[in-house]
Amino acid sequence: MATSDEQLIQSLCNLEIPKTIRISGDRKRVLYSSELTWGHRKGKFAVSTLWLASTGIPDSSVQLTPGLFRDYSPAWSPDGNAVAFISDRAGAGTKWALYLLPLQQGGEAYPITPVENASPIKGFAFSPSGSHIAFLSADEEDSLSTELHAWGESWRYTRLRVVDVRTKHVRTLKLDRHVTGVCWSPDGTRIGFSSCLTPEIEEDYLTGTTISIVDTDLVSVEELCHFPRVIVDLTWVIDGHLYFCAGVPATKIFAGCGVYRTDSSSRDHLYEWAAFGIENDSTGLACDSKGTLLVQVQHRLESRVCLLDGTVLYSKKEELEAFAAEADTNGNFVLAVATSNVNQPAEVFTTYSSGEAPMTKLSNHGNIFAGHRFGTCSFLTQMSSDGEVELDALYLTPASYTSNDTPSQPLPTVVLIHGGPNTRVTNAFNTYYYMLAPYLLSLGFGILLPNYRGSSGRGERFGSYSIGGLGIYDYADLITLTQCAIDKGFADKERLMVGGWSQGGFLTNLCSVRNGSHNGGWRFRAAMPGASICDIDSMALTSDLGSTFEPELSRDGVAWNMDSNDTRNRSASALWGFKDASRRTAAEGESVVPPMLILHGEADLRCHVTQAWGLRRALRSYGIPFELVIYPKQGHFFEDQKYWVDMALRTGRWCEKYIGDRLRYDELSEDSEDEVCYKGIPTLPSS
């Protein structure tokens, strides 16, 4: 029988999160999809559901599809009478097609592309007339293919295809390039698309992206420009330009993110920066039915929807999951947004761009937690230790300890570090990952969420600190913001734990081997690195993005670019910090490296599981308590809910053991010995 903790984390994981949002051209209806957080699954396959709501009418959301399949990425037909979407309803997780759902009473969804296709559809767009849909999918796998992986021999390129909505006839552009994005010209006579040389995951990071246009017969291709890195959200706007989001500067991944454009009528083969990415970051583009470009922007801790000229249509210090907007005849906008805060799970709201317009909640996906308070969110600012920048952080205080938005006493605190590094955290229900924030709040732990240098939302200069600065500025900022939480009376300096995922796990490992090396007079009592990195040099060899991310972050510091005596990456690699930590332990008479709960996916391609193995070997060699949990068949972000639940329960017990109430930990600590758990010193497996 499930414990109350297990029931809570399951309820949190079962929340439906609104994703793609679309407003009808008449601004009266809102269409959206929902799925479990990050599309994870409870059963064998992930599912997604389509919903329809009425603008400005509370709780008007009704279910369009049964929630038995993965029905996602919905789009209005231009006449507003039907909805197109991608689905696997012909074969769960194995067969993919485009479906059309007429919205008149009794309308049933039907496929318009072949239902036997096993290649997922990567994206699609209606022609302005609604007669055709351009979509992206890879060639079907050769029935004679083998399990051999000969690099470059069997690449399956994603192709640009066009289907006639009435006849269901599909045409394909014959081009030996990998197509990554598609959009229609406003007059419907041409199709814009982005492509790179091969389907290799690193290709557009390494060799860039070409933006091209083709006639609707898919015969005559014209190249508009070549961008040096990856791009997203290619959008053709009524002014004749194709817009997209990419790095600022154009040659970097880990700096700012802005909006660029290229002219569809020019033969100069040029692109130009258009907006954002200097003091803030663009994270997505959309276009309303009249051809107005809309930009999703992170502006420090604010989530904004802006016009290209910077006009702010919407702004809140809350995470924005998705948005859509439509202009009325007076130039005002109706907006639909999916947003959340520390006590409100993600819901769909409508509002208006004019004045202080109210927010009307259309959906009710978080009804199970209606009226429940998990805590409060406080925004902290502090100058960096070198005086160069002002830093932001969030402190989440459990509801049981709150008085006037501050704790009634300093709290046992978990410092949770985001990954990326170019992401950021702001007020949200699932502020961190895997629903750990609301779960830990329910256990009575305070949570500090730092936005260190390299985070997004602050533009090029702030983001570029991560380039060549790993383990320097980011680490210093974590210490500064933790000290800030202590000084302001939020965090109890005697009961601190640090944890993080991916890049946050990398920083957790550094905080562990450098523990207490600052002048604050405190140490982390425990650590929880997830999908972490302990050796930068090996990342270049084993990560799926190792030859793109690592050279930039380490300023070409990868093995094939360095002299044999170049050890620059060791200073930011936790494995190389254990020896010094051991010396400090002997000199100070207190263990430097805290007990560590290591969480990792067996099939992680981004941060290979060997990173966890290396960390475990170092900890065991020095006799430091640890638990290593390897989750079978899970990648960089886990897909199976049962492992989300297991990870949350283990995290809660780790917190209770080292910074919480030991009596409660003793009651919960009877672990079953199963295939995912390897418990370290002092208890070793018998095998």
Side-chain angles (χ1 to χ4, degrees):
M1 185 174 179
T3 65
S4 58
D5 282 358
E6 188 172 358
Q7 290 173 345
L8 173 59
I9 192 63
Q10 285 176 337
S11 296
L12 291 168
C13 291
N14 285 338
L15 287 169
E16 290 283 325
I17 308 301
K19 297 299 291 184
T20 305
I21 298 180
R22 301 284 184 259
I23 299 180
S24 60
D26 62 6
R27 304 175 301 283
K28 294 181 179 180
R29 295 169 295 171
V30 176
L31 170 71
Y32 69 94
S33 64
S34 71
E35 62 187 29
L36 302 184
T37 304
W38 298 347
H40 82 274
R41 59 177 183 258
K42 287 191 288 186
K44 188 175 181 181
F45 300 105
V47 298
S48 182
T49 307
L50 304 188
W51 303 79
L52 189 63
S54 299
T55 301
I57 299 180
D59 302 323
S60 59
S61 179
V62 295
Q63 198 167 328
L64 277 183
T65 58
L68 302 175
F69 315 102
R70 193 171 178 218
D71 300 330
Y72 71 103
S73 192
W76 289 103
S77 63
D79 62 9
N81 293 326
V83 170
F85 60 95
I86 302 169
S87 181
D88 63 351
R89 51 182 59 197
T94 61
K95 304 293 183 182
W96 301 94
L98 277 172
Y99 286 76
L100 201 65
L101 174 61
L103 292 179
Q104 70 264 29
Q105 184 137 7
E108 293 288 338
Y110 61 89
I112 57 174
T113 61
V115 295
E116 67 272 10
N117 286 354
S119 296
I121 293 172
K122 301 295 180 64
F124 71 93
F126 266 108
S127 66
S129 68
S131 62
H132 293 78
I133 293 177
F135 68 99
L136 308 179
S137 67
D139 296 332
E140 291 299 291
E141 191 168 7
D142 189 340
S143 60
L144 300 177
S145 64
T146 69
E147 294 181 357
L148 288 173
H149 296 286
W151 194 85
E153 279 190 10
S154 56
W155 279 331
R156 294 169 57 216
Y157 291 86
T158 292
R159 310 287 186 186
L160 170 60
R161 310 178 198 274
V162 176
V163 60
D164 185 306
V165 173
R166 183 179 62 84
T167 67
K168 304 182 185 179
H169 176 66
V170 177
R171 291 175 289 116
T172 301
L173 174 63
K174 301 297 183 182
L175 183 71
D176 284 334
R177 292 182 64 85
H178 183 68
V179 183
T180 57
V182 63
C183 58
W184 287 83
S185 65
D187 63 6
T189 62
R190 293 174 292 173
I191 300 171
F193 66 95
S194 56
S195 65
C196 59
L197 288 175
T198 76
E200 177 71 12
I201 188 172
E202 292 187 296
E203 191 65 65
D204 43 8
Y205 292 95
L206 288 171
T207 61
T209 304
T210 298
I211 299 174
S212 310
I213 56 177
V214 64
D215 62 284
T216 55
D217 292 326
L218 305 184
V219 174
S220 178
V221 177
E222 178 184 348
E223 181 180 323
L224 293 183
C225 71
H226 182 79
F227 192 82
R229 292 291 182 268
V230 63
I231 74 165
V232 295
D233 286 353
L234 185 67
T235 307
W236 202 328
V237 177
I238 199 167
D239 66 4
H241 289 87
L242 285 81
Y243 290 83
F244 54 92
C245 287
V248 177
T251 56
K252 299 298 181 185
I253 307 165
F254 296 104
C257 187
V259 180
Y260 293 81
R261 64 187 168 208
T262 184
D263 190 342
S264 63
S265 63
S266 173
R267 300 299 176 265
D268 295 334
H269 302 288
L270 300 176
Y271 62 84
E272 63 178 358
W273 172 82
F276 307 108
I278 307 302
E279 300 293 335
N280 46 28
D281 292 301
S282 61
T283 58
L285 301 179
C287 200
D288 77 354
S289 62
K290 300 174 182 61
T292 304
L293 186 69
L294 303 146
V295 188
Q296 184 173 343
V297 176
Q298 292 180 350
H299 187 86
R300 290 191 77 155
L301 299 181
E302 294 178 24
S303 297
R304 293 179 172 181
V305 177
C306 299
L307 300 179
L308 189 66
D309 64 7
T311 300
V312 179
L313 305 180
Y314 168 91
S315 180
K316 272 187 175 294
K317 282 187 177 180
E318 296 178 353
E319 196 60 68
L320 186 62
E321 300 282 351
F323 83 98
E326 275 289 332
D328 62 21
T329 54
N330 298 318
N332 295 317
F333 285 84
V334 177
L335 295 107
V337 298
T339 188
S340 69
N341 60 48
V342 66
N343 292 309
Q344 171 68 67
E347 301 285 4
V348 176
F349 298 81
T350 51
T351 187
Y352 301 88
S353 61
S354 54
E356 293 295 324
M359 299 272 287
T360 302
K361 184 167 74 71
L362 309 186
S363 63
N364 217 1
H365 300 296
N367 186 53
I368 189 173
F369 293 113
H372 183 84
R373 282 182 55 79
F374 285 88
T376 59
C377 176
S378 301
F379 300 104
L380 309 182
T381 58
Q382 179 68 38
M383 286 300 298
S384 61
S385 58
D386 57 11
E388 290 194 5
V389 295
E390 188 177 64
L391 303 170
D392 295 317
L394 283 65
Y395 193 90
L396 307 184
T397 303
S400 55
Y401 288 93
T402 302
S403 174
N404 298 322
D405 292 338
T406 58
S408 55
Q409 63 190 64
L411 296 177
T413 297
V414 186
V415 181
L416 291 178
I417 311 169
H418 71 70
N422 54 344
T423 58
R424 62 114 211 234
V425 287
T426 190
N427 191 6
F429 188 73
N430 184 29
T431 322
Y432 185 65
Y433 308 139
Y434 300 108
M435 289 294 176
L436 288 179
Y439 177 63
L440 292 178
L441 286 174
S442 75
L443 298 181
F445 295 102
I447 302 172
L448 176 66
L449 298 150
N451 286 308
Y452 51 87
R453 274 176 282 186
S455 303
S456 60
R458 303 282 294 272
E460 177 184 357
R461 179 173 175 263
F462 193 85
S464 63
Y465 274 100
S466 63
I467 300 174
L470 292 182
I472 303 172
Y473 304 108
D474 43 15
Y475 168 77
D477 294 347
L478 296 174
I479 301 304
T480 295
L481 288 167
T482 302
Q483 187 66 55
C484 172
I486 293 169
D487 292 343
K488 291 182 182 293
F490 287 92
D492 181 348
K493 70 176 184 178
E494 299 300 329
R495 293 193 291 173
L496 297 171
M497 174 174 147
V498 63
W501 201 263
S502 191
Q503 188 78 5
F506 157 78
L507 288 166
T508 297
N509 292 336
L510 284 186
C511 287
S512 298
V513 296
R514 300 175 182 177
N515 202 11
S517 60
H518 47 78
N519 296 319
W522 50 266
R523 297 188 181 195
F524 294 111
R525 301 301 172 184
M528 183 194 67
S532 74
I533 303 159
C534 64
D535 182 62
I536 290 176
D537 282 331
S538 60
M539 279 290 289
L541 310 180
T542 60
S543 173
D544 60 349
L545 292 173
S547 62
T548 54
F549 281 19
E550 298 313 312
E552 180 170 317
L553 290 170
S554 302
R555 296 192 186 276
D556 278 340
V558 291
W560 53 86
N561 288 338
M562 297 191 296
D563 294 328
S564 59
N565 62 349
D566 189 338
T567 59
R568 75 181 80 168
N569 290 333
R570 291 187 179 183
S571 63
S573 295
L575 278 185
W576 294 95
F578 272 92
K579 186 67 175 178
D580 184 62
S582 175
R583 294 190 188 100
R584 285 183 52 214
T585 296
E588 298 169 12
E590 181 182 0
S591 178
V592 169
V593 179
M596 301 185 76
L597 172 62
I598 310 165
L599 307 168
H600 219 104
E602 179 186 48
D604 192 337
L605 298 179
R606 188 63 37 85
C607 301
H608 197 268
V609 68
T610 50
Q611 297 283 339
W613 297 348
L615 190 58
R616 184 264 298 171
R617 287 169 176 163
L619 290 164
R620 187 176 185 185
S621 117
Y622 285 102
I624 299 168
F626 71 90
E627 288 186 17
L628 169 63
V629 189
I630 304 298
Y631 292 91
K633 301 180 182 178
Q634 302 307 292
H636 196 53
F637 292 106
F638 298 173
E639 296 180 355
D640 290 345
Q641 187 179 104
K642 63 183 178 182
Y643 297 134
W644 287 46
V645 174
D646 180 89
M647 179 165 49
L649 294 175
R650 290 180 188 276
T651 299
R653 292 196 294 264
W654 203 252
C655 293
E656 293 283 4
K657 182 175 184 178
Y658 290 106
I659 63 170
D661 183 345
R662 289 182 178 273
L663 289 177
R664 188 172 188 280
Y665 173 79
D666 292 339
E667 294 170 2
L668 296 174
S669 62
E670 295 300 321
D671 292 337
S672 62
E673 294 293 333
D674 58 35
E675 73 278 7
V676 301
C677 181
Y678 175 68
K679 303 192 74 171
I681 304 293
T683 304
L684 293 172
S686 57
S687 58

